[in-house]
Amino acid sequence: MLIKNVFIHTGKKLMPQSKNILITPDGRRQLLDTKMESSNRSFNHFSDDVRDAQNKFTMMPGLFDAHVHGQGGFDFADVGKHPETLPLIMKALGETGLSYAMATLVSLQTETLKEALKAIDDYVQQQELNPMPGVAQIVGVHLEGPFIAKNCRGAHDLLALQDRISIDQF
């Protein structure tokens, strides 16, 4: 697909610039010269699907969520026992427009936490080998505990919390 006359926001403190962007079948994006002839015929050598945004829309880099527990009815806390849910979570997050996420884990029993972290690590290794367009990527893990004051635990499992900060336990 080729989208012409669309504002591109680079995330820098610059104003968005009007550009033409080619989106390849594998989801890659390539900026093209906007000084090209404006007729669709001149764009056809890039793509059969040409759309003119008429400088009414802005595209921006993918969105990032630094604190997300899951999506699509699945939770990162359960992926140790059910690693098959990780691709489902990431696909569902991608469908919301999210590109990058920190897999957030509530305080868990040590063995459950280790299993979840192992499953997430395995998934991250695979996503780097085979990135999927439209599927959000895990770029890190947000651990909410277990070093939280028990009187401020909220939804955290009391038995998963530590009495003090322990570098050895960490």
Side-chain angles (χ1 to χ4, degrees):
M1 173 190 300
L2 180 74
I3 304 171
K4 62 181 191 172
N5 303 313
V6 64
F7 284 109
I8 304 295
H9 192 294
T10 62
K12 299 176 183 171
K13 292 185 180 183
L14 303 173
M15 294 296 293
Q17 303 291 312
S18 182
K19 300 284 184 182
N20 300 320
I21 185 166
L22 176 67
I23 303 173
T24 63
D26 65 356
R28 297 176 198 264
R29 295 174 277 298
Q30 178 184 356
L31 291 178
L32 302 174
D33 184 8
T34 56
K35 294 180 182 170
M36 297 175 69
E37 182 182 327
S38 62
S39 75
N40 280 351
R41 192 179 72 232
S42 69
F43 288 105
N44 282 343
H45 70 281
F46 291 108
S47 174
D48 291 333
D49 186 5
V50 179
R51 305 200 183 178
D52 189 348
Q54 302 175 356
N55 291 320
K56 294 180 181 177
F57 300 95
T58 300
M59 292 182 78
M60 57 186 275
L63 300 176
F64 169 70
D65 192 335
H67 186 139
V68 59
H69 287 273
Q71 184 72 11
F74 303 104
D75 193 304
F76 288 116
D78 300 324
V79 301
K81 298 272 189 257
H82 302 285
E84 71 279 3
T85 63
L86 267 167
L88 302 174
I89 293 171
M90 301 317 293
K91 183 175 186 303
L93 286 171
E95 289 171 353
T96 71
L98 198 66
S99 293
Y100 309 99
M102 298 282 284
T104 302
L105 296 169
V106 68
S107 297
L108 300 168
Q109 296 288 329
T110 302
E111 284 309 308
T112 305
L113 178 61
K114 286 180 183 179
E115 291 170 352
L117 290 172
K118 172 77 171 103
I120 292 168
D121 184 53
D122 291 346
Y123 180 84
V124 167
Q125 302 304 317
Q126 289 303 309
Q127 90 180 355
E128 290 174 3
L129 295 173
N130 187 24
M132 302 288 292
V135 175
Q137 294 181 358
I138 297 175
V139 294
V141 176
H142 176 156
L143 297 177
E144 291 186 334
F147 307 111
I148 298 173
K150 290 182 180 184
N151 63 339
C152 297
R153 69 182 176 92
H156 295 261
D157 178 0
L158 184 63
L159 299 175
L161 300 180
Q162 302 298 309
D163 291 324
R164 59 185 178 81
I165 296 175
S166 166
I167 296 301
D168 291 334
Q169 178 68 21
F170 180 72

